[in-house]
Amino acid sequence: METNVKYTIAGTFVLVLVAFIVLSILWLSSGFKHQDYSYYSVFMSESVSGLTLHGPVEFNGVEVGTVQKMIINKENPQLVELLLKIKIDTPISQGTTAKLGLHVLSGTAFILLEDKGKDKRPLLAVAGEKYPVIPTIPSILVRLESALTQMTTSIQDVTTSIRNLLNEKNLQSIQLILQSGTKSMHSIEKDTIPSATQTFRDINILTNNLNDLTQELQSNPSVIVRGKATGTAGPGEQ
């Protein structure tokens, strides 16, 4: 009887010792891998289709956390309220912004944090908010949609302007202007151009005469006093 009691006590002690060793190993291993997190709120004003609960949060492409909560804001149904769980050593600052990203190959959405380094002050919770709020910027899909909408509107405006310009009344006016221009060109060709040609000829002749006179004065300056010599020599002249 006493022997059985001793075996029972020894077996219990061994089991307790093994359990203690296993728990110690688990505790030590979890302690080495322990990671502290901070929480931040994000209010998205666009659709978060493709984003799932516990979806990834990336900072400049590096995964730093997950999406812990995703609900419709009660005060403003147009906003989607997200709660982000982010590693405490992530450099979230006043210059950090959040936007919706999309993995092209998988088609899954994620939250992308970016920081241009313009304001290094830490982001703190403001009055009325439980967590610090990271401001958002439009995703590339929203910006692309906006650009396409603006381009479509511009094309429509240009089309409308062209239609207004090329209505029947304006087309008739343009035709009259062209006809008037054609008549004016014919008139210029018939009257003005011949007169101008004759004027240029007269100017050319006058220029040649002045050139001859200049050359004669240079060769015989006395002609200014005596005048130009005639063909018949006077008495005493050869």
Side-chain angles (χ1 to χ4, degrees), residues 110-225:
F110 64 98
I111 297 300
L112 177 61
L113 304 180
E114 296 178 326
D115 197 320
K116 304 300 182 182
K118 295 181 179 179
D119 193 341
K120 293 293 187 179
R121 292 177 300 168
L123 185 63
L124 304 176
V126 298
E129 296 291 342
K130 185 177 180 180
Y131 304 106
V133 178
I134 301 177
T136 61
I137 59 176
S139 66
I140 187 172
L141 295 178
V142 172
R143 285 180 287 175
L144 181 60
E145 181 182 1
S146 177
L148 290 175
T149 301
Q150 292 179 358
M151 184 174 67
T152 302
T153 302
S154 298
I155 292 175
Q156 291 176 348
D157 292 341
V158 171
T159 302
T160 301
S161 299
I162 292 175
R163 287 178 180 175
N164 293 334
L165 178 63
L166 299 181
N167 58 30
E168 184 177 355
K169 183 177 180 180
N170 288 341
L171 286 175
Q172 291 177 355
S173 299
I174 293 173
Q175 185 177 7
L176 291 175
I177 292 173
L178 292 176
Q179 291 176 352
S180 176
T182 302
K183 292 179 180 179
S184 298
M185 289 299 296
H186 288 163
S187 176
I188 292 173
E189 183 179 0
K190 181 180 178 181
D191 300 329
T192 306
I193 293 179
S195 300
T197 302
Q198 184 61 43
T199 300
F200 287 140
R201 288 176 180 172
D202 294 341
I203 292 174
N204 188 43
I205 293 172
L206 179 60
T207 302
N208 291 332
N209 292 337
L210 290 174
N211 188 40
D212 293 340
L213 179 59
T214 301
Q215 292 179 354
E216 185 174 355
L217 288 174
Q218 291 177 347
S219 60
N220 188 13
S222 62
V223 73
I224 298 177
V225 179

Side-chain angles (χ1 to χ4, degrees), residues 54-117:
H54 303 298
V57 177
E58 297 183 2
F59 189 96
N60 290 339
V62 178
E63 188 168 335
V64 295
T66 56
V67 178
Q68 291 297 296
K69 185 173 69 173
M70 184 167 53
I71 61 174
I72 302 297
N73 186 266
K74 296 180 180 179
E75 298 180 359
N76 185 357
Q78 295 181 352
L79 297 178
V80 178
E81 183 177 347
L82 306 177
L83 179 62
L84 308 183
K85 179 183 177 182
I86 300 176
K87 295 178 181 178
I88 197 170
D89 57 351
T90 304
I92 306 296
S93 68
Q94 295 282 349
T96 303
T97 58
K99 68 179 180 180
L100 187 68
L102 182 67
H103 291 295
V104 178
L105 296 179
S106 62
T108 58
F110 64 98
I111 297 300
L112 177 61
L113 304 180
E114 296 178 326
D115 197 320
K116 304 300 182 182

